[in-house]
Amino acid sequence: IPLPFESPGISHRLEKWSKVSIAQIPMGQGVAVTRLQMVMAMSAIANHGRLMRPFLVSQLEDRDGRIIVQYKPEPVRQVVSEATAQQMVQALKTVVTKEGTAEKAALDDYTVAGKTGTAQKIIEGIAGYAPGKYIASFIGFFPADKPELCISIVLEEPKQGHYGGQTAAPVFHDFA
C-alpha cells in the first residue's frame, strides 16, 4: 500500500531454515506477517490464486463529488495455480463446520471459508514465549465459492479462552 513504514514481515529464505524449521513454520513459529499481508494471502486463495495489489480507497473525489482518481483492481502475480486455490477453498470451508475448528464463524445465508489461529505471545527482547499469553485469530471470506469480502479478526490476550475458534470466530460471525 502507498503508506510509509509498512513492515516486510519475517520469512526466512529456505537456505536459512534450521532442522526444526520444517516443524515450526507450519505452526506459524519463525515467521511473522502483518494483518494486511495475511488478508492479501487469504484473498489470493479466494481469487483463484491471484495476488492483487491492495489499496485503501476506491476513488478520490473533489468537493463537488467529481471523481479525480479511480483505482481499479490490479493483479500482482499468480501465487498458486487455480487448481491449488480451489482445493484450498474446499479445505477452508471445512473449518467452519461442526467437524472444524471454527463452527462459531458460520453464517446462516453464506458459506464461509476460513482459518483459525492461536499464537503464543513472544516476550519482547527475549527468545521465548510469555506463559499464558496468546493472540487468537480468525480470517475468512464469503461467499466461499464467489467471494466478495475477506475479514480478519485478531484478539490480543482474549479473556474467555485463547483459541481462535473459541474467541475470534464468534466476533467474525457477528461482524460478518
Side-chain angles (χ1 to χ4, degrees), residues 69-135:
V69 178
Q70 188 162 25
Y71 300 99
K72 300 286 185 194
E74 183 183 336
V76 175
R77 68 182 173 276
Q78 190 78 27
V79 292
V80 296
S81 71
E82 286 191 43
T84 298
Q86 184 56 36
Q87 288 177 330
M88 286 298 302
V89 170
Q90 295 309 311
L92 293 168
K93 285 168 39 175
T94 67
V95 172
V96 190
T97 65
K98 288 187 185 339
E99 295 77 32
T101 56
E103 180 183 5
K104 295 177 180 178
L107 300 174
D108 293 335
D109 299 321
Y110 297 99
T111 302
V112 175
K115 180 70 182 85
T116 58
T118 305
Q120 296 169 287
K121 286 187 72 174
I122 61 167
I123 299 172
E124 294 294 329
I126 300 174
Y129 296 98
K133 305 281 185 179
Y134 296 91
I135 299 171

Side-chain angles (χ1 to χ4, degrees), residues 138-155:
F138 181 82
I139 184 169
F141 56 86
F142 62 93
D145 295 313
K146 194 169 167 123
E148 293 289 327
L149 188 61
C150 181
I151 300 171
S152 174
I153 303 295
V154 180
L155 304 175

Side-chain angles (χ1 to χ4, degrees), residues 3-83:
L3 291 176
F5 308 114
E6 182 180 0
S7 172
I10 299 170
S11 179
H12 300 290
R13 300 183 67 79
L14 187 57
E15 305 85 57
K16 297 205 179 236
W17 285 21
S18 69
K19 290 184 179 184
V20 295
S21 295
I22 197 146
Q24 291 176 320
I25 290 172
M27 295 187 305
Q29 295 181 343
V31 296
V33 297
T34 66
R35 281 292 110 192
L36 176 61
Q37 291 162 346
M38 185 64 77
V39 168
M40 288 175 64
M42 184 64 95
S43 295
I45 291 168
N47 198 32
H48 309 288
R50 282 188 306 275
L51 179 67
M52 303 297 287
R53 183 164 317 286
F55 53 90
L56 298 176
V57 295
S58 61
Q59 63 190 33
L60 300 176
E61 299 177 2
D62 66 13
R63 290 183 184 174
D64 298 321
R66 289 186 299 256
I67 297 172
I68 306 295
V69 178
Q70 188 162 25
Y71 300 99
K72 300 286 185 194
E74 183 183 336
V76 175
R77 68 182 173 276
Q78 190 78 27
V79 292
V80 296
S81 71
E82 286 191 43

